[in-house]
Amino acid sequence: MNQENQVTGATVWLTGLPSAGKTTIAYELATRLREEGHRVEVLDGDEIRTFLTAGLGFSREDRHTNVQRIGFLADLLSRNGVKTLVPVIAPYADSREAVRKRHQASGAAYLEVHVATPVEVCSERDVKGLYAKQAAGEISGLTGVDDPYEAPESPDLRIESHTQSVQESAAALHALLAERGLA
């Protein structure tokens, strides 16, 4: 194990629809990276909304603010040698681009990963019951259904989580990190 890699931070932003598999893949990768001796944090979007961005709604402006706050924290951690995995929808391209630019300005590595799971598959998985609630008219503004999701045009990696296992998805992401000298 290369000692230098242990202190090289990076942000890996996993974007995709609700129930795409972002968080599951992030935790699988985190386990592997920790086993290799890396310092790792997972900034789970649901946890962040509970603690760091409580009070924000789901308007475009609030979603942008949420993403920028998470991006700030991810950049801070990454600059301090932590592999920061961010499974957060971040539905708007301009919000994600602002986070990328923040990382570029600070010199921190940043990778954007699109967990490109079709909405039909996400709806079947429906981990949090959001698709069912939206279909029943209980909620509105569900990303990718009745609220926009701007898929990345040229992510660093596109994962088709519906065609491969969680382990295969995490391995593909680990391979990208290794290729970039980050794992």
Side-chain angles (χ1 to χ4, degrees):
M1 176 167 36
N2 182 337
Q3 184 68 21
E4 184 180 322
N5 281 352
Q6 288 184 324
V7 295
T8 301
T11 294
V12 178
W13 198 290
L14 295 94
T15 179
L17 297 173
S19 297
K22 302 175 298 298
T23 302
T24 305
I25 294 166
Y27 279 109
E28 179 72 21
L29 178 62
T31 298
R32 181 170 178 178
L33 290 170
R34 285 186 185 112
E35 287 171 353
E36 294 174 354
H38 298 279
R39 295 168 57 199
V40 181
E41 288 295 334
V42 177
L43 300 182
D44 182 295
D46 293 332
E47 290 178 4
I48 295 289
R49 275 199 175 267
T50 300
F51 298 104
L52 186 64
T53 60
L56 289 178
F58 291 90
S59 67
R60 183 180 177 102
E61 183 179 333
D62 281 358
R63 287 176 189 257
H64 179 76
T65 299
N66 185 51
V67 168
Q68 296 317 298
R69 288 181 186 175
I70 296 168
F72 172 82
L73 181 57
D75 179 55
L76 181 69
L77 288 166
S78 296
R79 285 186 282 123
N80 285 282
V82 178
K83 301 287 186 301
T84 309
L85 310 179
V86 186
V88 172
I89 296 168
Y92 300 110
D94 60 343
S95 295
R96 294 190 307 266
E97 184 58 25
V99 171
R100 179 185 295 277
K101 286 180 178 172
R102 169 184 288 284
H103 282 73
Q104 288 171 339
S106 75
Y110 178 86
L111 301 173
E112 183 178 72
V113 177
H114 182 205
V115 182
T117 310
V119 69
E120 299 79 19
V121 175
C122 295
S123 178
E124 288 172 19
R125 291 178 180 170
D126 205 7
V127 178
K128 298 173 206 154
L130 297 175
Y131 292 92
K133 287 180 181 174
Q134 191 276 337
E138 296 172 24
I139 63 168
S140 62
L142 181 59
T143 302
V145 178
D146 59 354
D147 212 51
Y149 176 73
E150 299 170 357
E153 291 182 16
S154 55
D156 295 284
L157 178 66
R158 189 175 316 279
I159 293 175
E160 308 278 343
S161 75
H162 56 294
T163 64
Q164 60 190 34
S165 70
V166 171
Q167 293 76 18
E168 289 168 332
S169 296
L173 187 43
H174 187 276
L176 175 65
L177 287 168
E179 177 185 302
R180 302 277 173 96
L182 300 168

